[in-house]
Amino acid sequence: MSFNNYKNPSNQSKLSSSISRKGCFDNSSHANTRSYVIISFWIVVVGLGLPLWWITTSIYRAPLPLEEMQSWADSRACRAEFPLLVDVEAPLLFDVNQLLKSVQHALDDANDFSAHHLRLRLASKRSVTEVDVEENVAATLKLMPATSGSTHSYASFYCIDGLITNSTRYMLSNYSRIIELYYSPTYNPSSSASSTSLSVFIADTLQAIFAEEQQMISYLLSTSTPTPLPVPSLGVSSGNGTGNPGANKLNTAEITRKMSRIMRYSPTYHISFSMFTATASPTSWDIEEALDEYIQPLLEALSGISNFTIDSQIQFYASLSSSIVPNWVPDLSDVATKNGQWVLQKQDLSSFINSAEWPLVSITSYPTINFIIYIPSGNQSPLTIAESATNAFLLPQWGGVKVINFPNNQSDSHHHLSKEDLKTSMDIFAAQLLALLGAPSHPSSLPIRLDSLTRQRSAELLTSAASTLGSLYRLTLALPSISIPTSVATSVALTLESLRNVCRDLKNGNVGGYDGALSHGRNAAAQAEQAFFEKSMVGQVYFPEEHKVAVYLPLLGPVGVPLLSSAFKEIIRLIEWARQ
């Protein structure tokens, strides 16, 4: 082709038309390729990325019976009942069945807390021990005619150094559940007034024995219900239908004070016995013999409620806290000899323990109960506690302290404390241990007090487990993004099963033992705590939602912005192409 051909106008138009068609073809091919690339990215993101992200970041929430959990937390799932069975023995009364009906009617009329009630039954011919074991008899009431007198009375005995002594304070033996009531020899069953008098007397006696337990259980249940239960009065009828109008208020305050000193229930406690002396003596003590003699029998009796581990220690040159300054009180009856005593006031007792210098840290995982014998130095002896007959005091939810004073001429030469020297202190510590565990202070019968403690602890575990389920229920609703592993659902199911068993056993009067209400309550509380404090859940409770934004933005920004901008441009190009 010659050069002249390019100068031909017709040839030039043909060439430009060919080039234009080729350019359009190239641009269309590149646009289609770009569209395919963008679509493929979106297919990978939507079809693979999003499902993979959803699967790897989805929160598993095991199904929980939320309605049942809320029902237990609101005390609607179970109405706890504490029926106490009392066997009555009246071999010389011919109208005993009618008398029991009359006494039962008096008890029901006087009871303002129906969940805790006494049920009387004519004793069977089996032995008292056999009946107690098989049917959980709370007490056995023996009615016998008095030898003299015109009024009803009760026999009460307690043991001091092996001797049985009469007392007008207690109604029971220290070591049995037998109540001995003596009715007047002038009692006439056919007389309505005489029958009413005896019925009221028996009802008042039984109410007085179990009144403190009734108030403690009522208090425990009232703290877990939306509508507080009435707290029954400790004051009993005087036989004429009158009572103390202020008893309820006063007794509620007293029960609140008692509850504040009780240690929280634990299947096992650690007890530490310590002797702190301000000098270098005594250098030894018969603590093992004293514990075996005075403390171990009580711990064996308590073994059905909790287990105990024990250790002991001696600390020399143990000084009081610097904030404790005893006051010197001279003996006004003997001014010539300048005798007197050092007195600690009540406000000093809260800081009596010198935590900075006294080694009282326990390495066990169980709650620790501390009992301390403190022996002051000769120049600060005798050291007494104001308004304390035993020279001892109780520290709520912690332990007890007993101060021992030696005569001035023996304070530095008394190098050993024998078992007999420790008897008074051990007896005080035993009483303080029962108080810290929550046993009622009355009556004097240890078996009845331990039975009451078992029922109280069962009620405590019931309310504690139900309250923990309520907390887990509220947590589940408040944090919908929190995971709920299968182990939590399993623990909740076991908790609910144990709670149902507790409710059933309480109604049947089966409280102690391996398969009793206390055992099931212990399992319920443990499973509820395990569910609420699940490790995988606890960490997420404190994980704020805003933190997710900080995690996802650095990832979604570099990836999402190019994808969205390219998709937007491609949509605009397609719209323009469609218009052309």
Side-chain angles (χ1 to χ4, degrees):
M1 179 182 295
S2 63
F3 180 78
N4 294 328
N5 291 334
Y6 289 97
K7 294 182 178 180
N8 191 338
S10 62
N11 292 336
Q12 290 180 358
S13 78
K14 293 179 180 179
L15 180 62
S16 63
S17 175
S18 175
I19 294 174
S20 175
R21 288 195 301 268
K22 184 177 181 181
C24 291
F25 176 80
D26 291 342
N27 291 337
S28 176
S29 176
H30 288 303
N32 292 336
T33 302
R34 185 169 60 251
S35 299
Y36 293 150
V37 170
I38 293 174
I39 293 174
S40 64
F41 268 106
W42 276 101
I43 291 175
V44 171
V45 171
V46 176
L48 181 62
L50 287 180
L52 184 62
W53 168 80
W54 181 263
I55 294 173
T56 55
T57 61
S58 62
I59 299 174
Y60 176 74
R61 291 171 64 88
L64 296 178
L66 296 179
E67 291 185 2
E68 189 174 2
M69 293 167 61
Q70 184 185 19
S71 179
W72 279 99
D74 296 339
S75 301
R76 292 183 285 106
C78 169
R79 183 182 183 276
E81 295 183 14
F82 301 83
L84 275 62
L85 181 61
V86 178
D87 273 350
V88 179
E89 297 181 3
L92 301 181
L93 285 178
F94 297 101
D95 64 334
V96 61
N97 289 324
Q98 184 62 33
L99 178 63
L100 291 186
K101 292 180 181 179
S102 179
V103 175
Q104 187 67 65
H105 183 71
L107 287 172
D108 294 340
D109 288 344
N111 186 16
D112 50 5
F113 179 50
S114 59
H116 184 281
H117 50 270
L118 298 172
R119 287 294 174 259
L120 304 182
R121 183 189 66 178
L122 190 62
S124 63
K125 295 181 179 180
R126 291 177 294 174
S127 65
V128 174
T129 303
E130 183 181 358
V131 173
D132 287 355
V133 173
E134 292 184 4
E135 301 190 45
N136 299 300
V137 176
T140 299
L141 179 64
K142 287 187 176 182
L143 298 176
M144 294 173 290
T147 56
S148 61
S150 59
T151 59
H152 311 299
S153 62
Y154 55 81
S156 55
F157 304 102
Y158 63 94
C159 186
I160 299 180
D161 297 332
L163 300 176
I164 301 298
T165 310
N166 288 329
S167 170
T168 58
R169 184 175 181 183
Y170 300 108
M171 299 180 180
L172 299 168
S173 165
N174 280 0
Y175 306 105
S176 76
R177 298 178 176 86
I178 300 176
I179 310 169
E180 294 185 358
L181 291 180
Y182 292 87
Y183 54 88
S184 172
T186 61
Y187 168 69
N188 183 9
S190 60
S191 172
S192 176
S194 181
S195 298
T196 302
S197 175
L198 180 58
S199 300
V200 171
F201 173 70
I202 296 174
D204 287 352
T205 301
L206 293 176
Q207 280 185 302
I209 291 174
F210 297 102
E212 187 174 351
E213 173 193 342
Q214 189 182 61
Q215 270 215 337
M216 296 284 281
I217 292 177
S218 175
Y219 180 88
L220 288 170
L221 296 181
S222 65
T223 56
S224 64
T225 55
T227 303
L229 299 174
V231 180
S233 170
L234 282 176
V236 295
S237 170
S238 59
N240 55 3
T242 61
N244 183 2
N248 262 336
K249 181 178 179 180
L250 295 175
N251 289 328
T252 302
E254 179 67 14
I255 292 299
T256 304
R257 184 186 67 82
K258 289 182 179 179
M259 292 299 299
S260 65
R261 74 185 183 193
I262 296 174
M263 300 195 68
R264 185 179 180 182
Y265 177 80
S266 173
T268 304
Y269 294 96
H270 179 72
I271 305 179
S272 179
F273 291 90
S274 305
M275 180 175 68
F276 291 105
T277 174
T279 60
S281 62
T283 58
S284 60
W285 57 339
D286 292 335
I287 185 61
E288 293 186 7
E289 293 80 359
L291 292 177
D292 290 340
E293 181 74 18
Y294 309 118
I295 300 297
Q296 195 60 38
L298 177 60
L299 299 184
E300 292 177 357
L302 290 166
S303 61
I305 302 174
S306 296
N307 296 320
F308 299 89
T309 60
I310 300 177
D311 69 4
S312 62
Q313 64 173 337
I314 300 178
Q315 177 73 19
F316 302 109
Y317 299 104
S319 60
L320 294 176
S321 175
S322 58
S323 60
I324 299 295
V325 181
N327 298 324
W328 172 256
V329 179
D331 187 359
L332 300 180
S333 62
D334 192 4
V335 181
T337 59
K338 298 183 180 180
N339 290 331
Q341 58 186 0
W342 298 93
V343 179
L344 288 174
Q345 303 299 325
K346 283 187 176 182
Q347 58 268 23
D348 297 330
L349 302 182
S350 59
S351 56
F352 182 90
I353 304 300
N354 190 351
S355 302
E357 300 180 11
W358 293 3
L360 293 171
V361 179
S362 175
I363 60 175
T364 65
S365 58
Y366 314 125
T368 300
I369 303 176
N370 295 278
F371 292 115
I372 295 177
I373 293 178
Y374 181 75
I375 302 175
S377 60
N379 58 4
Q380 209 174 46
S381 183
L383 181 63
T384 61
I385 300 172
E387 301 179 11
S388 175
T390 59
N391 212 31
F393 61 94
L394 181 73
L395 291 174
Q397 301 184 17
W398 190 87
V401 177
K402 173 71 170 75
V403 179
I404 296 180
N405 294 295
F406 295 126
N408 290 332
N409 56 353
Q410 298 182 11
S411 58
D412 295 329
S413 61
H414 204 110
H415 299 294
H416 180 75
L417 287 180
S418 64
K419 181 180 71 175
E420 290 72 21
D421 296 331
L422 294 172
K423 181 182 184 307
T424 302
S425 299
M426 294 297 113
D427 290 341
I428 293 174
F429 291 156
Q432 291 177 341
L433 176 62
L434 289 174
L436 289 170
L437 295 179
S441 55
H442 300 290
S444 61
S445 170
L446 182 60
I448 289 184
R449 294 173 68 191
L450 295 184
D451 291 345
S452 298
L453 178 59
T454 304
R455 287 186 285 269
Q456 292 174 28
R457 289 302 197 182
S458 300
E460 176 185 348
L461 291 172
L462 173 66
T463 57
S464 175
S467 175
T468 304
L469 284 183
S471 299
L472 181 59
Y473 163 80
R474 291 187 292 271
L475 177 66
T476 303
L477 297 182
L479 300 176
S481 61
I482 192 173
S483 66
I484 302 177
T486 307
S487 58
V488 172
T490 303
S491 297
V492 169
L494 293 175
T495 301
L496 294 174
E497 180 183 0
S498 297
L499 286 176
R500 288 189 288 267
N501 292 334
V502 172
C503 189
R504 177 202 63 203
D505 290 335
L506 287 177
K507 292 180 179 179
N508 295 334
N510 181 23
V511 182
Y514 175 76
D515 197 37
L518 181 64
S519 177
H520 292 304
R522 188 185 300 122
N523 295 334
Q527 292 294 337
E529 294 287 334
Q530 182 177 343
F532 186 79
F533 293 104
E534 170 66 30
K535 293 181 180 179
S536 60
M537 291 178 57
V538 172
Q540 297 180 51
V541 171
Y542 305 100
F543 188 86
E545 294 291 333
E546 293 79 3
H547 188 64
K548 295 181 181 179
V549 178
V551 172
Y552 284 117
L553 275 182
L555 175 65
L556 297 180
V559 176
V561 171
L563 285 175
L564 291 175
S565 62
S566 60
F568 180 73
K569 290 179 180 179
E570 187 65 17
I571 291 173
I572 293 177
R573 188 189 70 81
L574 291 175
I575 293 174
E576 292 178 351
W577 177 81
R579 289 176 179 177
Q580 293 177 359

